[in-house]
Amino acid sequence: MPAAAPAPTAANTTSSGSGQTVCVTGAGGFIASWIVKLLLERGYTVRGTVRNPDDSKNSHLKELEGAEERLTLHKVDLLDLESVKAVINGCDGIIHTASPVTDNPEEMVEPAVNGAKNVIIAAAEAKVRRVVFTSSIGAVYMDPSRNIDEVVDESCWSNLEYCKNTKNWYCYGKAVAEQAAWDEAKARGVDLVVVNPVLVLGPLLQSTMNASTIHILKYLTGSAKTYANATQAYVHVKDVALAHVLVYEIPSASGRYLCSESSLHRGELVEILAKYFPEYPIPTKCSDEKNPRAKAYTFSNKRLKDLGLEFTPVHQCLYDTVKSLQDKGHLPLPTK
């Protein structure tokens, strides 16, 4: 049984954030909370943007080591350029993680695009050193014409027409928001670097559930009686946080960085869960027993490895996720 994953390592980073101020948008989110934690540990002063600084949903941020001295939370509407400018003015850098997570086109597309543009505009005026933008694998691999045997790398983009036709507004919104950020950054001379994570798992810092951990929870509660003939790529949240900080700190970092440890078929996923947590009613049957097992895309993570990021193995990632769901009370401990 593995212990909780240690902090991920990066061989070539000795940078200290002492004296630097970084703005993290959407600071209370799953990935952003870990980014804030890591920045504070490295000595940065952090300005976090949230919808409501007094909301109990953000209380975990105030409990982080160094938060009392070097973290401030700010109520910011990313669609209001003036409020974005107010928080970014005086910052050395920005990590823009805030984005809607929905398949409703009206709630997804325009807010994601305009929020990204406003951050870049404010960054240009404040003359920040670098903006790191959290995109998604959804902006990269959604293309039915791509051969499943081709390695998906940073040069790949999702097919927008395909996303629209299949009503995959989340992937569509992520792709157009990332493209808008690149266009705006180029026009305004802003140094932009993008991280494209796959499905992110691992321990929760916040008390509330998030969409990616619900993906695992259903296989433990008995609500899923079978598993789909489908694949998914996974990465540990600590690795995603470190990826953002590395591409901010390392001067030579540029362009896009796919952040993925490995892909699993749902059958492999439930096997790992059953190995570590046999006491839960984990499904053993596939919902599709007629067709061959779906093949997974291979996502390149070479660019992040070249920066020194050592990825946490996927089985550790799954173990940490379940332990966190237990610790936070989202998953009852099994009765003996």
Side-chain angles (χ1 to χ4, degrees):
M1 193 74 64
T9 57
N12 59 356
T13 55
T14 54
S15 170
S16 164
S18 182
Q20 282 198 59
T21 300
V22 174
C23 175
V24 179
T25 68
F30 178 43
I31 297 170
S33 295
W34 279 99
I35 293 171
V36 171
K37 183 177 189 292
L38 188 53
L39 289 170
L40 290 172
E41 286 170 358
R42 287 162 105 90
Y44 289 91
T45 295
V46 181
R47 293 184 193 172
T49 81
V50 291
R51 286 178 183 160
N52 179 2
D54 300 319
D55 194 320
S56 61
K57 284 198 294 188
N58 298 312
S59 61
H60 63 285
L61 295 172
K62 298 169 185 176
E63 293 162 12
L64 294 172
E65 192 175 332
E68 199 173 335
E69 302 80 21
R70 289 178 283 106
L71 173 67
T72 51
L73 299 180
H74 305 261
K75 182 177 182 175
V76 172
D77 177 1
L78 291 176
L79 302 182
D80 173 5
L81 179 57
E82 293 311 311
S83 80
V84 178
K85 284 181 182 177
V87 74
I88 287 174
N89 190 31
C91 288
D92 298 284
I94 303 162
I95 300 181
H96 176 46
T97 79
S99 178
V101 181
T102 174
D103 259 332
N104 180 324
E106 289 177 13
E107 294 173 10
M108 179 67 210
V109 181
E110 200 174 331
V113 170
N114 291 339
K117 282 184 175 180
N118 283 345
V119 166
I120 300 293
I121 293 165
E125 288 196 15
K127 295 181 170 53
V128 303
R129 188 174 75 76
R130 175 168 285 174
V131 177
V132 179
F133 179 84
T134 312
S135 186
S136 164
I137 200 68
V140 175
Y141 82 105
M142 297 294 290
D143 185 348
S145 65
R146 186 174 291 118
N147 188 321
I148 195 75
D149 294 320
E150 281 179 34
V151 174
V152 177
D153 64 15
E154 286 80 5
S155 68
C156 301
W157 281 85
S158 290
N159 182 312
L160 295 182
E161 285 305 308
Y162 175 68
C163 292
K164 276 200 280 191
N165 293 339
T166 54
K167 295 185 164 43
N168 191 330
W169 297 112
Y170 174 75
C171 292
Y172 179 86
K174 278 296 192 181
V176 294
E178 186 190 333
Q179 192 57 63
W182 282 118
D183 292 345
E184 201 71 48
K186 188 177 179 183
R188 295 176 184 271
V190 170
D191 181 5
L192 176 68
V193 185
V194 171
V195 179
N196 298 79
V198 294
L199 190 80
V200 184
L201 294 174
L204 300 158
L205 289 177
Q206 78 274 25
S207 58
T208 52
M209 287 283 287
N210 66 312
S212 56
T213 46
I214 291 170
H215 168 75
I216 298 302
L217 186 65
K218 68 185 179 194
Y219 292 122
L220 299 149
T221 59
S223 65
K225 306 299 181 193
T226 58
Y227 58 85
N229 184 12
T231 66
Q232 185 79 52
Y234 300 98
V235 68
H236 200 295
V237 67
K238 291 182 184 179
D239 298 345
V240 179
L242 181 57
H244 283 77
V245 175
L246 287 180
V247 301
Y248 174 70
E249 289 182 342
I250 296 173
S252 61
S254 65
R256 305 168 98 196
Y257 288 84
L258 297 196
C259 193
S260 171
E261 199 280 319
S262 59
S263 298
L264 294 177
H265 189 275
R266 293 287 197 282
E268 296 171 295
L269 172 78
V270 295
E271 281 170 18
I272 294 169
L273 292 175
K275 177 185 170 185
Y276 292 132
F277 303 98
E279 60 274 29
Y280 288 108
I282 296 162
T284 56
K285 280 197 159 191
C286 185
S287 58
D288 169 15
E289 295 189 324
K290 292 179 185 172
N291 295 301
R293 267 199 174 188
K295 198 170 178 182
Y297 279 114
T298 302
F299 297 111
S300 171
N301 58 12
K302 183 179 184 301
R303 295 200 76 218
L304 278 173
K305 282 184 171 177
D306 287 348
L307 294 184
L309 183 57
E310 297 171 15
F311 284 89
T312 307
V314 70
H315 64 86
Q316 180 74 60
C317 184
L318 291 167
Y319 179 82
D320 290 354
T321 304
V322 178
K323 293 302 284 184
S324 175
L325 290 170
Q326 291 175 339
D327 294 344
K328 296 284 184 182
H330 298 303
L331 177 66
L333 290 165
T335 51
K336 297 291 183 199

